[in-house]
Amino acid sequence: GVTLDFSFLVDKAVRFEKLTADMAEFTSEILQGFEFVDIYTGKGLPENTKSMTFRFAIGSREKTLSSEEINDFTTKLLDHMKAKGYALR
């Protein structure tokens, strides 16, 4: 399997449960799970935002994932999160 870390810019008013619920709505045949890694609220972020990092585990029992499959997963995940109002940091 492969692990991918993504940091999303999140409005400070958004609760952790809301973010993870929005994330859980994303589906993919190769998504095995995701977990919270870190939160950052320091310098370099837009006003009233926090950066939340999550690690996504992807893979297939049948075969090794191709670069194309990994890139496709990334694009679809980021599109889903953008549609929910979360930008990639």
Side-chain angles (χ1 to χ4, degrees):
V2 176
T3 57
L4 304 168
D5 289 1
F6 295 103
S7 296
F8 298 101
L9 288 175
V10 181
D11 188 285
K12 281 189 176 176
V14 173
R15 295 177 53 112
F16 180 81
E17 293 81 7
K18 165 85 172 115
L19 175 62
T20 55
D22 287 343
M23 215 174 281
E25 290 177 11
F26 177 75
T27 58
S28 168
E29 288 183 8
I30 63 171
L31 177 61
Q32 297 173 329
F34 66 88
E35 64 182 354
F36 173 73
V37 176
D38 190 35
I39 183 169
Y40 176 74
T41 56
K43 292 180 182 176
L45 296 178
E47 197 171 334
N48 294 318
T49 64
K50 56 192 171 188
S51 173
M52 298 185 75
T53 303
F54 288 83
R55 179 164 294 139
F56 292 80
I58 60 174
S60 168
R61 293 194 171 160
E62 288 83 43
K63 60 188 175 78
T64 301
L65 295 179
S66 67
S67 296
E68 187 176 305
E69 288 169 310
I70 296 168
N71 292 339
D72 185 56
F73 170 85
T74 299
T75 299
K76 288 178 179 174
L77 172 67
L78 297 182
D79 286 349
H80 170 82
M81 294 303 286
K82 188 176 182 180
K84 296 284 184 181
Y86 308 110
L88 185 66
R89 177 170 172 220

